[in-house]
Every structure is written in C-alpha cells, then in structure tokens.
Amino acid sequence: MHHFRIKQDRSLGYTGSVDAVHKWGLPGIFKCPACKATWSGGSKVYPSVDLSPVLSLADFEEARAEPIEEYERLCALVRPLLPPGAVLQPGAGLGPLVGNARGRFGSFASPDPWWLLVQREALEKLEAEGLRGLKGCRTELRFRQRNSPEFLELEILPQGRTHPDCLPSHHDPPCSRCLRFGLSLPDDLLLDASTLPNDRDLFRLEDFSGVIVCTERFVDACQRLGLDGVAFLPLPSK
C-alpha cells in the first residue's frame, strides 16, 4: 500500500487563516533531570478529550514549562480521559480548537502541519466511502463573515515510525526519563513498513508526530470527490 504526507495546499488561492489554540494543554518540561532539556512538543493533539471532570482545570489553561514531576502528575489526571492509542507528550493539546478564523477555505485546512481541519460535508462524504480511522471533533472557531464553513478537527492518532535508514547513523536514543527524541525531521522521509497500521487510512507518525500520513485509498477518495485544500506528497517505505 502506498502512503502520502498531507500538507496545506496554497496553490488554489484560498485566503483562509486560523488563529487558535486548543482549550487545554499539558505543560512543557523544565530541565529534565536526565537529559537537562527544557522542551515542549505539542504536535500530539486530542480534540475529543473533555477535561471538565478534572478539578484543577486551571493547571491545563496556561502554556508553560514545569518540573517533570508536575508534568507527570498532570499526565496521570489526563490519561484516563484519552482515546485508545493516544500517547502523551509535553505541550500536548487537549479539547476543542478555540479562536478566530477568516477568509476562503477549501474542503480541508491545515493551519499548522500537525492539525487537519475538515468541513463537515466533506467528512461525511469520506465516511460514506468507508475510509477508516476518521474522527471529526467539534471546534470553537469564530468566523467574522457570512456563509462561514463548519470545520471539524480530525483526531489523528500516532502510529507508524520512520525507517532507521533515513536517520543519522549515530544518534542518541530517546531520553530515559522524559522520552525526548532530539532529532530534526529528515529531509527525505522513509517510512518503516513494518510499523505502519493496516486498519486506518489516516494517522500521524509516532516519532515525528507533526507528520500526518494517509493511504492511497484516502487520496483516491479525495480526488474522486473533488475535495481540496491539501496536497498529498508520496512517502516511500521500506
């Protein structure tokens, strides 16, 4: 099966812009005691998660870095509310996307490489095609215009990894405490075929979760239905 990376397509002249953040989020880590790094990823996002049952909601409303013990405490509060297969990361976004949007959009929008928004009608068409692993979550986007689109955010779980052949031959393993994987995204991505899911048509990579990947079935359905707003870049696998 062939796979493709999904990225924003600006070639059609769409003017849409989104200025938004997720309603809640985990803090980053301040000076990990093992690797000494202060860092936050944030490309793992779970818009279906409702943190309302958590008593200390204020702990999830401000972007900041915390000692790892506090980060781990907050992870423990969030973990029971996550969808199956979710993996937490410092800076992970939770709950609906909240903010402002304006302009002309296609069927899809990807204001950041790790977010994928889809208009409700387009998602319903894809679901009717039998595509697997699609979960649209409500957003709280405010449009200051008439005839504004109804955008849902696709909740995209991490599955699949890059092949070692596209990574530096000598690199440090992930930190044993905070799990930081301190490599930059390779220029020429190569997927590890043995790790790719066979039960879904849309996923993000585990090790480089800013990369959203889809199957050829997803691409074919979008092209046949005339859905636009994103481009599909072939990704080799081994």
Short mmCIF file of all heavy atoms in Angstrom, two decimals, residues 118-131 134 150 152 154 225 227:
data_model
loop_
_atom_site.label_atom_id
_atom_site.label_comp_id
_atom_site.label_asym_id
_atom_site.label_seq_id
_atom_site.Cartn_x
_atom_site.Cartn_y
_atom_site.Cartn_z
N VAL A 118 -11.43 19.75 8.65
CA VAL A 118 -12.21 19.32 7.50
C VAL A 118 -13.63 19.86 7.64
O VAL A 118 -14.18 19.90 8.74
CB VAL A 118 -12.21 17.77 7.38
CG1 VAL A 118 -12.83 17.11 8.61
CG2 VAL A 118 -12.93 17.33 6.12
N GLN A 119 -14.20 20.31 6.54
CA GLN A 119 -15.57 20.76 6.58
C GLN A 119 -16.49 19.55 6.78
O GLN A 119 -16.23 18.45 6.26
CB GLN A 119 -15.93 21.52 5.31
CG GLN A 119 -15.12 22.82 5.16
CD GLN A 119 -15.78 23.81 4.21
OE1 GLN A 119 -16.99 23.94 4.19
NE2 GLN A 119 -14.95 24.51 3.44
N ARG A 120 -17.57 19.75 7.55
CA ARG A 120 -18.43 18.63 7.92
C ARG A 120 -18.92 17.85 6.70
O ARG A 120 -18.91 16.63 6.68
CB ARG A 120 -19.62 19.13 8.75
CG ARG A 120 -20.57 18.01 9.16
CD ARG A 120 -21.72 18.51 9.98
NE ARG A 120 -21.29 18.98 11.28
CZ ARG A 120 -21.09 18.19 12.34
NH1 ARG A 120 -21.26 16.86 12.21
NH2 ARG A 120 -20.72 18.68 13.50
N GLU A 121 -19.36 18.56 5.68
CA GLU A 121 -19.89 17.89 4.49
C GLU A 121 -18.83 17.01 3.84
O GLU A 121 -19.12 15.89 3.38
CB GLU A 121 -20.41 18.92 3.49
CG GLU A 121 -21.00 18.31 2.23
CD GLU A 121 -21.50 19.37 1.26
OE1 GLU A 121 -21.38 20.58 1.56
OE2 GLU A 121 -21.99 18.97 0.18
N ALA A 122 -17.59 17.49 3.81
CA ALA A 122 -16.50 16.70 3.22
C ALA A 122 -16.23 15.44 4.04
O ALA A 122 -16.01 14.35 3.49
CB ALA A 122 -15.24 17.54 3.12
N LEU A 123 -16.25 15.58 5.36
CA LEU A 123 -16.03 14.41 6.21
C LEU A 123 -17.13 13.37 6.01
O LEU A 123 -16.86 12.16 5.95
CB LEU A 123 -15.96 14.83 7.68
CG LEU A 123 -15.77 13.70 8.69
CD1 LEU A 123 -14.50 12.91 8.40
CD2 LEU A 123 -15.76 14.24 10.11
N GLU A 124 -18.35 13.81 5.91
CA GLU A 124 -19.46 12.87 5.70
C GLU A 124 -19.30 12.12 4.39
O GLU A 124 -19.59 10.92 4.30
CB GLU A 124 -20.78 13.63 5.73
CG GLU A 124 -21.14 14.15 7.13
CD GLU A 124 -22.35 15.07 7.14
OE1 GLU A 124 -22.81 15.46 6.03
OE2 GLU A 124 -22.85 15.40 8.23
N LYS A 125 -18.80 12.79 3.37
CA LYS A 125 -18.56 12.11 2.09
C LYS A 125 -17.46 11.06 2.23
O LYS A 125 -17.57 9.95 1.67
CB LYS A 125 -18.17 13.14 1.02
CG LYS A 125 -19.31 14.06 0.59
CD LYS A 125 -18.83 15.05 -0.45
CE LYS A 125 -19.96 15.96 -0.92
NZ LYS A 125 -19.50 16.95 -1.93
N LEU A 126 -16.40 11.38 2.97
CA LEU A 126 -15.31 10.42 3.15
C LEU A 126 -15.78 9.22 3.97
O LEU A 126 -15.41 8.07 3.69
CB LEU A 126 -14.13 11.10 3.83
CG LEU A 126 -13.37 12.13 2.99
CD1 LEU A 126 -12.34 12.85 3.83
CD2 LEU A 126 -12.70 11.47 1.79
N GLU A 127 -16.59 9.47 4.99
CA GLU A 127 -17.11 8.37 5.79
C GLU A 127 -17.99 7.46 4.95
O GLU A 127 -17.96 6.23 5.11
CB GLU A 127 -17.88 8.93 6.99
CG GLU A 127 -16.97 9.59 8.03
CD GLU A 127 -17.75 10.29 9.12
OE1 GLU A 127 -18.91 10.71 8.87
OE2 GLU A 127 -17.20 10.44 10.22
N ALA A 128 -18.75 8.05 4.04
CA ALA A 128 -19.61 7.25 3.16
C ALA A 128 -18.79 6.36 2.22
O ALA A 128 -19.29 5.35 1.72
CB ALA A 128 -20.53 8.16 2.35
N GLU A 129 -17.53 6.75 1.98
CA GLU A 129 -16.63 5.94 1.15
C GLU A 129 -16.03 4.76 1.92
O GLU A 129 -15.30 3.95 1.34
CB GLU A 129 -15.50 6.82 0.60
CG GLU A 129 -15.95 7.87 -0.39
CD GLU A 129 -16.27 7.28 -1.75
OE1 GLU A 129 -15.53 6.39 -2.20
OE2 GLU A 129 -17.27 7.71 -2.35
N GLY A 130 -16.28 4.71 3.21
CA GLY A 130 -15.76 3.61 4.02
C GLY A 130 -14.34 3.78 4.49
O GLY A 130 -13.70 2.80 4.89
N LEU A 131 -13.82 5.00 4.47
CA LEU A 131 -12.45 5.22 4.95
C LEU A 131 -12.39 4.98 6.46
O LEU A 131 -13.32 5.30 7.20
CB LEU A 131 -11.99 6.64 4.61
CG LEU A 131 -11.85 6.92 3.11
CD1 LEU A 131 -11.35 8.33 2.89
CD2 LEU A 131 -10.90 5.93 2.45
N LEU A 134 -11.33 7.77 10.77
CA LEU A 134 -11.67 9.19 10.70
C LEU A 134 -12.56 9.56 11.89
O LEU A 134 -13.60 8.94 12.10
CB LEU A 134 -12.41 9.52 9.40
CG LEU A 134 -11.69 9.16 8.09
CD1 LEU A 134 -12.50 9.66 6.91
CD2 LEU A 134 -10.29 9.74 8.07
N GLU A 150 -18.40 25.10 8.46
CA GLU A 150 -18.39 24.38 9.73
C GLU A 150 -17.21 23.41 9.71
O GLU A 150 -17.25 22.38 9.03
CB GLU A 150 -19.69 23.62 9.96
CG GLU A 150 -19.70 22.89 11.29
CD GLU A 150 -20.94 22.02 11.52
OE1 GLU A 150 -21.77 21.96 10.61
OE2 GLU A 150 -21.02 21.41 12.59
N LEU A 152 -14.55 20.79 11.42
CA LEU A 152 -14.25 19.83 12.47
C LEU A 152 -12.75 19.57 12.45
O LEU A 152 -12.11 19.68 11.39
CB LEU A 152 -15.00 18.52 12.23
CG LEU A 152 -16.53 18.61 12.16
CD1 LEU A 152 -17.12 17.28 11.75
CD2 LEU A 152 -17.12 19.08 13.47
N LEU A 154 -9.88 16.78 12.79
CA LEU A 154 -9.69 15.34 12.77
C LEU A 154 -8.72 14.93 13.88
O LEU A 154 -7.64 15.49 14.02
CB LEU A 154 -9.14 14.89 11.41
CG LEU A 154 -10.15 14.98 10.26
CD1 LEU A 154 -9.45 14.79 8.93
CD2 LEU A 154 -11.25 13.94 10.43
N LEU A 225 -13.87 12.78 -5.12
CA LEU A 225 -14.95 13.61 -4.59
C LEU A 225 -14.70 15.11 -4.81
O LEU A 225 -15.56 15.92 -4.48
CB LEU A 225 -15.10 13.34 -3.09
CG LEU A 225 -15.57 11.93 -2.71
CD1 LEU A 225 -15.39 11.69 -1.21
CD2 LEU A 225 -17.02 11.72 -3.12
N LEU A 227 -12.40 16.98 -3.27
CA LEU A 227 -12.08 17.65 -2.01
C LEU A 227 -10.69 18.27 -2.12
O LEU A 227 -9.74 17.61 -2.55
CB LEU A 227 -12.14 16.66 -0.85
CG LEU A 227 -13.45 15.87 -0.72
CD1 LEU A 227 -13.40 14.96 0.50
CD2 LEU A 227 -14.65 16.81 -0.65
#
